[in-house]
């Protein structure tokens, strides 16, 4: 007797608790922290600490909302699915495709940065060849099983976290005067000449805008938890770990930078973390940080392929993308969605080499504001679904947003201010208008190609329900 296994097109729950927890922590620790923090400190002075506190709290609130919805309904489509439930198919379609596009662009950017680093280390390897090799490597880790992705990402994230922890301990020792050969400045960098806000409060607020955009990635944990052994437990643990570790790692490490590096030391702030290691007398500080940054880029690329493929899979399951993209292999991997993401990542990477200042710059600016739009969708979806859940099934609310609905309203207001503020910042103005245009085009494409089909499907589903009711 032959037993034939049926293809269910469902993802497998192969991620362990430690995978999801580390993914949630590592998701927000990227090259933006290791390099971008120096730019923020240079522009805001010691007040950058406040910038990171404000931006960090915003992400914590967003993650709390997302966690509340994810515990009620763990789904690989995450906020796209919740937007669909709250406001209809057009909302889920819009944020799902925008988010996918954003991640594919990020993959292309990380790929070229990795290629540049390899070329710098080994000049004999062409940058384009090195760049194109990394998506293949990450595809292998993603295509084997979700557990393989989780394990690989666990160790990449572990290396980043270990680097931050070592940096925090070293910084505390330097500030306390416990490092031989280094004269501790104490609190002089924030109490001496220039003070805590040497350039006023406006640069602090402007820095919040840049930081908020750079902190995307924590939401990957909510997507990954849907493929874990115990989604509800893992989401709660991931959300709780993000809350305090995000503030500790970001605010803590930036505080060390502010206290150790003298104000106005622009050269040291170009590579701030390497500068602190070097000031402590550690050999090969620059090379160590290059390895950490390389690991961070590799981690983002790995997560990018995972996240973009799951979003495509979810869109396909809801009928918002070709059906073939929701097919999974025997290991539970959405193989066609993964291959589609890899293909377009290669296309956009090619644009980076062929037309970096025009075509690729246009695409990058178009996706630049997607993070803020995603956060706005999450906040509005939470506002609607929380009220609905409280009426219909309050027992499922195992994680609750603090001070609902007031903090949700405050978060929405701040997110809108940050999004619109782009239009008044020279370096972000083009990004604001192109992302807004892209969003309008995506919404338009839904009503042009999918709205009628979804209405017909809903009508047919309604008729079937009526038939079953009559038969019953």
């Amino acid at each position: 007797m032959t037993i034939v296994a049926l293809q269910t097109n469902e993802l497998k729950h192969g991620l362990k608790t430690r995978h999801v927890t580390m993914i949630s922590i590592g998701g927000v620790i990227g090259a933006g922290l290791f390099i971008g923090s120096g730019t923020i400190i240079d522009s805001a002075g010691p007040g950058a600490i406040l910038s990171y506190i404000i931006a960090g709290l915003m992400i914590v609130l967003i993650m709390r909302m997302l966690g509340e919805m994810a515990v009620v309904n763990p789904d690989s489509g995450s906020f796209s699915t919740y937007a669909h439930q709250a406001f209809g198919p057009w909302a889920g379609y819009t944020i799902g495709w925008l988010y996918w596009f954003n991640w594919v662009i990020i993959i292309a950017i990380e790929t070229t940065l990795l290629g540049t680093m390899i070329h710098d280390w080994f000049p004999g390897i062409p940058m384009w060849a090195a760049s194109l090799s990394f998506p293949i490597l990450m595809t292998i880790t993603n295509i084997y099983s979700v557990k393989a992705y989780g394990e690989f990402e666990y160790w990449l994230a572990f290396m980043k976290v270990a680097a931050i922890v070592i940096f925090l301990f070293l910084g505390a020792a330097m500030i306390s005067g416990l490092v031989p050969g280094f004269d501790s400045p104490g609190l002089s960098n924030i109490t001496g000449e220039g003070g805590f806000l040497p350039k006023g409060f406006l640069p602090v607020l402007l820095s919040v805008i840049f930081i908020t955009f750079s902190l995307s990635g924590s939401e990957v944990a909510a997507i990954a938890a849907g493929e874990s052994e115990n989604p509800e437990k893992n989401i709660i643990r991931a959300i709780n770990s993000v809350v305090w570790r995000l503030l500790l790692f970001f605010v803590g490490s930036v505080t060390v930078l502010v206290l150790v590096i003298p104000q106005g030391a622009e050269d040291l702030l170009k590579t701030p973390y390497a500068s602190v290691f070097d000031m402590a007398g550690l050999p090969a500080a620059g090379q160590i940080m290059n390895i950490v940054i390389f690991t961070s880029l590799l981690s983002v690329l790995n997560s990018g392929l995972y996240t973009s493929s799951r979003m495509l899979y979810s869109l396909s399951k809801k009928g918002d993308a070709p059906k073939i993209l929701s097919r999974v292999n025997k290991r539970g991997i959405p193989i066609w969605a993964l291959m589609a993401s890899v293909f377009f990542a290669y296309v956009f990477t090619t644009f980076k080499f062929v037309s970096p200042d025009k075509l690729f710059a246009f695409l990058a600016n178009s996706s630049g504001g997607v993070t803020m739009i995603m956060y706005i969708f999450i906040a509005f979806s939470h506002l609607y679904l929380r009220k609905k859940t409280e009426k219909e099934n309050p027992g499922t609310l195992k994680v609750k947003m603090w001070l609902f609905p007031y903090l949700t309203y405050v978060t929405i207001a701040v997110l809108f201010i940050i999004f619109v503020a782009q239009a008044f910042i020279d370096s972000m103005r083009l990004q604001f208008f192109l992302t807004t245009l892209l969003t309008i085009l995506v919404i338009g494409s839904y009503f042009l190609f999918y709205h009628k089909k979804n209405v017909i499907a809903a009508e047919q589903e309604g008729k079937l329900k009526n038939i079953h009711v009559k038969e019953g």
Side-chain angles (χ1 to χ4, degrees), residues 347-377:
V347 171
F348 294 153
T349 302
T350 302
F351 291 164
K352 178 69 175 176
F353 289 106
V354 174
S355 181
D357 298 326
K358 294 181 180 179
L359 185 55
F360 187 80
F362 176 83
L363 293 172
N365 279 307
S366 298
S367 70
V370 167
T371 295
M372 204 53 53
I373 293 176
M374 172 191 68
Y375 291 157
I376 291 171
F377 267 94

Side-chain angles (χ1 to χ4, degrees), residues 387-417:
K387 293 178 180 178
K388 182 181 179 182
T389 305
E390 284 181 339
K391 290 179 181 179
E392 298 177 356
N393 195 4
T396 59
L397 290 170
K398 305 292 179 60
V399 172
K400 292 183 179 182
M401 174 63 174
W402 307 291
L403 297 177
F404 178 82
Y406 308 109
L407 267 183
T408 303
Y409 284 128
V410 170
T411 303
I412 290 172
V414 174
L415 289 173
F416 267 108
I417 291 171

Side-chain angles (χ1 to χ4, degrees), residues 362 366 431-443:
F362 176 83
S366 298
Q431 171 179 293
F432 170 78
F433 287 111
L434 288 180
T435 301
T436 302
L437 176 61
L438 176 65
T439 303
I440 294 171
L441 290 176
V442 173
I443 294 173

Side-chain angles (χ1 to χ4, degrees), residues 213-258:
F213 280 96
S214 70
L215 289 183
S216 63
S218 55
E219 74 282 348
V220 175
I223 296 174
E227 289 182 77
S228 66
E229 298 168 334
N230 189 333
E232 180 181 307
K233 172 187 172 184
N234 288 329
I235 289 171
I236 294 173
R237 181 171 293 185
I239 297 304
N240 289 337
S241 68
V242 165
V243 168
W244 68 270
R245 284 177 175 137
L246 178 70
L247 295 176
L248 173 65
F249 291 156
F250 275 79
V251 178
S253 59
V254 170
T255 300
V256 168
L257 294 175
V258 165

